[in-house]
Amino acid sequence: MNSRNPAKSSSLWLLAASTVVCLVFALQEIWVRHPASHFFPLPLLAWFWLAKRDGMFRAVSFPKNPTAYNWLVVCHLLLALIAFVLISPFMAGLACVVSSAALAVAKGKPAGHEAPAWALPALSLFFIPPPMMLDQQVHQVLAGLAARLSQGWLDAMQVLHVVQGTIVATPEKRFFVDDACSGTNTMMVAICVALIISCFNNRSWIHALVLLVTAGLISVASNVLRICLVIGGLHYWGLELDQGTAHEAVGVVFFLLDLALVWSADHGWYFALNSSNEVERPDPYGTPKMPAAASGLHGSLSMGVAVIGMTLILGPEILALSRTANAPVAAKPLGEADEFNLPEELAGWVREGDQPVENSMIGNLGVRNQVWLYRKGRQEAFVAVNFPFLGFHDTRLCYSGQGWQFQRQVDGSLPGDTQNTVRFLEMNQPTELARAHLWLSVLDENGTAQAFASEKPLDRMTERLISRWSNPSPVLNTYVLQIMSIEPENDSRVQSAVTELLAEARNCLAQALVTHSPHAGKESE
């Protein structure tokens, strides 16, 4: 006989509504803004497999601990509502974690063949988008750590080198430690695999924690060895392992080595910790039934929160569709890489030479990188156009990765602007004893100057809430205009002259963009 209550079954599906909306919201943010976390289908598949195999969904109708379950459901709904109102994918990810914890509490003590109680909440941690672009800061730390740790090995290999931030310079070439070589991508995947192994092998939480730390250390060590292999291959054998198919093949080999070492470490730690099966104890919670009224209330609240979330998330997108008809239409596609040629004279500044300069200190920061040197009397400034970037690009990350340190930052505007569309930076490079002033301005594919987000968290949150409803559509491609003055003079007249150069250069770039149809590209490594 099937004793399943149809009312409770429908309440279960209603209860999942807010969780699904939160999950989609969080994963969409990860997909758009956090490439290092694009492996999320792996923990997502493991999550659903374990929940289905161990009967987690059925346990919601008869939770083992109704009090704790009810509190966790209320916390989940509150976090979900906050996430939708504030348009915060981070809070949506936290709501998913709390929902997973509620499932674990409803299931109660797992049987010997089932995954540990902490499995679902731990796997759902990978559904949380890093707040405030924290993964970019982690990348910078790991990239610098990998570059510094490679020094000892390169010294032992007798390779002449100098480390500058995330750049390893050798007589043959300058090697930039990108996302892959820094271990940002492989470390996250290795940690995820270590957690999945612990869940499916029913390891203790102590075993899982030790294995996660071990996976991180394995990833760092293998990426340091990969850097040494790439540099040593060019130094001793002339092998170009830092680009193309060879670079990808080396990365795949070391990634498979990481996974093999993580699998081996799981067995090694199991032997070292001498884990043993615990004696089954009676469940102190018993198997009480949750009242049908409470289950129905949870389902109704969950559906209400889900409807609010869908309205606040999809509302701006629907408005954006109604505004696309007013968007300007570009004339023709882009040509070759040297399509953007700035005039010979800009605001009294004279361009040096007919071709963009190479190997300038301003660096290669985009898919296409054009740098010109302008002079005005004894003053000189580098003018660079970097394009195209996917979405708004924070150029400071590129400079900090090359060892630059920022002393002061001022956001301002040019005449006619209503927002802060210019960012001024004072910075220095300790390894080269260099000092520079940098002016930044970002334009979209239609030549419109973009405003820089405030550095204050409260102001940034307010801007994000308003911009979602007021902006016609999200910015797809951006173009960065930079002006750098090396060893600048602290003179108001010099600052004014550079500002005039920036204004003229931005006008020229905006006019060029209006007459072209930019195509998307990926950021350079």
Side-chain angles (χ1 to χ4, degrees):
M1 175 183 291
N2 186 4
S3 59
R4 195 170 181 179
N5 191 334
K8 287 187 176 181
S9 178
S10 61
S11 297
L12 172 61
W13 289 108
L14 291 177
L15 183 61
S18 59
T19 303
V20 171
V21 176
C22 286
L23 181 62
V24 173
F25 185 25
L27 295 184
Q28 187 268 345
E29 174 75 6
I30 290 176
W31 180 257
V32 173
R33 299 180 185 271
H34 306 281
S37 301
H38 280 180
F39 63 90
F40 65 81
L42 181 63
L44 185 62
L45 180 61
W47 192 97
F48 277 104
W49 182 280
L50 292 175
K52 180 67 175 177
R53 186 195 70 179
D54 298 343
M56 295 286 192
F57 300 125
R58 295 191 301 270
V60 173
S61 301
F62 306 98
K64 296 295 184 65
N65 187 356
T67 302
Y69 173 76
N70 290 338
W71 275 107
L72 287 173
V73 169
V74 171
C75 290
H76 159 74
L77 294 176
L78 289 177
L79 287 173
L81 189 59
I82 292 173
F84 299 145
V85 172
L86 298 182
I87 314 299
S88 172
F90 173 73
M91 299 299 293
L94 288 181
C96 291
V97 175
V98 175
S99 177
S100 299
L103 281 179
V105 168
K107 182 65 171 62
K109 185 178 178 65
H113 65 281
E114 296 176 339
W118 48 263
L120 294 190
L123 288 171
S124 60
L125 291 175
F126 291 100
F127 309 148
I128 302 179
M132 309 297 289
M133 301 303 289
L134 182 62
D135 53 344
Q136 295 286 355
Q137 300 179 24
V138 173
H139 158 63
Q140 294 296 329
V141 172
L142 291 177
L145 178 63
R148 290 192 299 271
L149 292 177
S150 65
Q151 286 182 296
W153 288 95
L154 293 174
D155 289 337
M157 296 164 58
Q158 298 182 353
V159 176
L160 182 62
H161 68 281
V162 176
V163 175
Q164 302 173 343
T166 58
I167 296 178
V168 181
T170 67
E172 296 85 6
K173 199 172 186 179
R174 289 165 62 91
F175 298 88
F176 177 63
V177 182
D178 62 1
D179 289 9
C181 294
S182 69
T184 307
N185 300 341
T186 55
M187 176 181 289
M188 295 295 294
V189 178
I191 290 176
C192 179
V193 170
L195 182 61
I196 292 175
I197 290 175
S198 299
C199 294
F200 277 88
N201 289 341
N202 197 16
R203 307 302 193 196
S204 65
W205 67 269
I206 297 178
H207 178 106
L209 184 61
V210 174
L211 185 60
L212 295 182
V213 175
T214 304
L217 295 177
I218 288 174
S219 179
V220 171
S222 67
N223 280 284
V224 170
L225 292 178
R226 180 157 65 132
I227 293 173
C228 295
L229 175 63
V230 170
I231 297 176
L234 180 62
H235 180 78
Y236 287 106
W237 303 290
L239 300 176
E240 294 281 351
L241 300 178
D242 61 324
Q243 57 188 352
T245 305
H247 183 68
E248 299 297 331
V250 171
V252 170
V253 170
F254 273 88
F255 175 66
L256 295 177
L257 176 63
D258 286 355
L259 297 184
L261 291 175
V262 170
W263 176 81
S264 177
D266 172 65
H267 291 274
W269 280 118
Y270 181 80
F271 176 79
L273 297 175
N274 195 23
S275 300
S276 59
N277 295 327
E278 297 182 1
V279 178
E280 293 289 338
R281 299 178 183 177
D283 191 348
Y285 303 126
T287 56
K289 287 187 178 181
M290 184 171 64
S295 177
L297 178 62
H298 289 165
S300 301
L301 291 176
S302 177
M303 178 56 69
V305 171
V307 171
I308 294 174
M310 295 292 291
T311 302
L312 294 177
I313 294 173
L314 298 181
E317 305 297 332
I318 296 175
L319 287 179
L321 294 176
S322 64
R323 296 173 178 144
T324 54
N326 298 326
V329 179
K332 58 181 180 179
L334 282 173
E336 299 297 328
D338 58 350
E339 181 89 22
F340 287 134
N341 282 322
L342 292 179
E344 295 184 3
E345 184 175 347
L346 286 173
W349 293 74
V350 180
R351 188 184 68 193
E352 183 177 278
D354 297 329
Q355 298 296 328
V357 298
E358 298 181 358
N359 299 324
S360 62
M361 188 172 291
I362 203 167
N364 297 318
L365 304 179
V367 174
R368 297 189 178 98
N369 188 76
Q370 302 288 309
V371 183
W372 294 268
L373 177 61
Y374 279 80
R375 298 182 185 275
K376 185 177 184 180
R378 295 185 303 173
Q379 305 175 40
E380 67 176 29
F382 291 96
V383 180
V385 179
N386 311 110
F387 65 98
F389 292 101
L390 296 178
F392 197 95
H393 180 72
D394 191 350
T395 313
R396 294 174 299 178
L397 296 174
C398 300
Y399 281 101
S400 61
Q402 297 180 22
W404 288 93
Q405 298 177 356
F406 304 108
Q407 274 68 50
R408 189 165 73 99
Q409 172 180 311
V410 178
D411 292 343
S413 61
L414 294 178
D417 294 340
T418 58
Q419 295 177 305
N420 292 332
T421 58
V422 177
R423 174 161 288 173
F424 169 74
L425 297 166
E426 290 184 4
M427 55 188 190
N428 62 26
Q429 168 64 271
T431 58
E432 298 185 6
L433 300 178
R435 188 172 61 91
H437 287 175
L438 182 67
W439 288 261
L440 299 173
S441 187
V442 180
L443 283 72
D444 64 7
E445 57 264 35
N446 300 315
T448 304
Q450 301 298 298
F452 286 94
S454 173
E455 296 296 308
K456 298 179 180 179
L458 184 59
D459 293 342
R460 182 180 298 182
M461 183 181 300
T462 304
E463 290 174 359
R464 179 168 183 172
L465 291 176
I466 297 175
S467 64
R468 281 183 56 83
W469 294 92
S470 60
N471 286 350
S473 61
V475 178
L476 299 179
N477 299 322
T478 56
Y479 299 72
V480 179
L481 175 65
Q482 306 179 69
I483 295 183
M484 175 183 281
S485 177
I486 308 296
E487 302 299 334
E489 301 178 10
N490 292 321
D491 190 319
S492 59
R493 290 178 298 177
V494 175
Q495 301 277 345
S496 177
V498 177
T499 303
E500 293 174 359
L501 174 62
L502 174 65
E504 287 291 330
R506 196 175 77 174
N507 289 336
C508 291
L509 178 58
Q511 292 174 5
L513 288 173
V514 170
T515 58
H516 293 80
S517 177
H519 53 80
K522 66 176 182 178
E523 296 180 14
S524 62
E525 296 181 351

